Amino acid sequence: MTHGPDAVHALVEESGWEYPVSVRRMEREHALANVQVDADGNSIMLAELLGDAEVDRFESYEDLVTKLGPVFEAESKRRKVGFFGRLKQTFLGG
């Protein structure tokens, strides 16, 4: 299964769209779609991911990778925090 920006690109292809693609259109058609964040199987809803990216449109596949790559990396890193790290974040905000 694809993950990261390739998973979002797969949604674009499955929809039969061509670039440029607006974020608004993607949210309208696939807001609740689960997109796999990483190879570990973590996933996120597309609308939440796009909200974190704060972009309006993707001009090309390369543009999509450039804009969403850091968002996927940050989300994957956030989810790899261990049990004690989560407790620390919860109670100490760190």
Side-chain angles (χ1 to χ4, degrees):
M1 182 167 212
T2 60
H3 62 276
D6 288 335
V8 177
H9 176 68
L11 287 175
V12 172
E13 286 186 329
E14 288 171 14
S15 299
W17 301 334
E18 294 184 18
Y19 292 99
V21 175
S22 71
V23 168
R24 185 175 179 180
R25 182 178 192 185
M26 294 178 79
E27 288 177 332
R28 185 176 59 241
E29 300 292 327
H30 298 289
L32 300 179
N34 273 333
V35 178
Q36 193 167 343
V37 174
D38 52 29
D40 295 335
N42 294 310
S43 63
I44 188 171
M45 285 191 317
L46 182 63
E48 184 179 358
L49 177 77
L50 294 173
D52 291 344
E54 298 179 6
V55 296
D56 294 327
R57 66 187 299 138
F58 302 107
E59 299 297 332
S60 63
Y61 169 73
E62 292 79 18
D63 186 43
L64 183 143
V65 171
T66 300
K67 290 176 179 175
L68 291 184
V71 178
F72 275 103
E73 288 176 27
E75 186 64 24
S76 180
K77 185 178 177 182
R78 186 182 72 79
R79 291 175 182 229
K80 289 185 180 179
V81 175
F83 175 74
F84 292 109
R86 287 186 187 143
L87 286 174
K88 182 181 173 185
Q89 285 179 342
T90 301
F91 294 110
L92 301 176

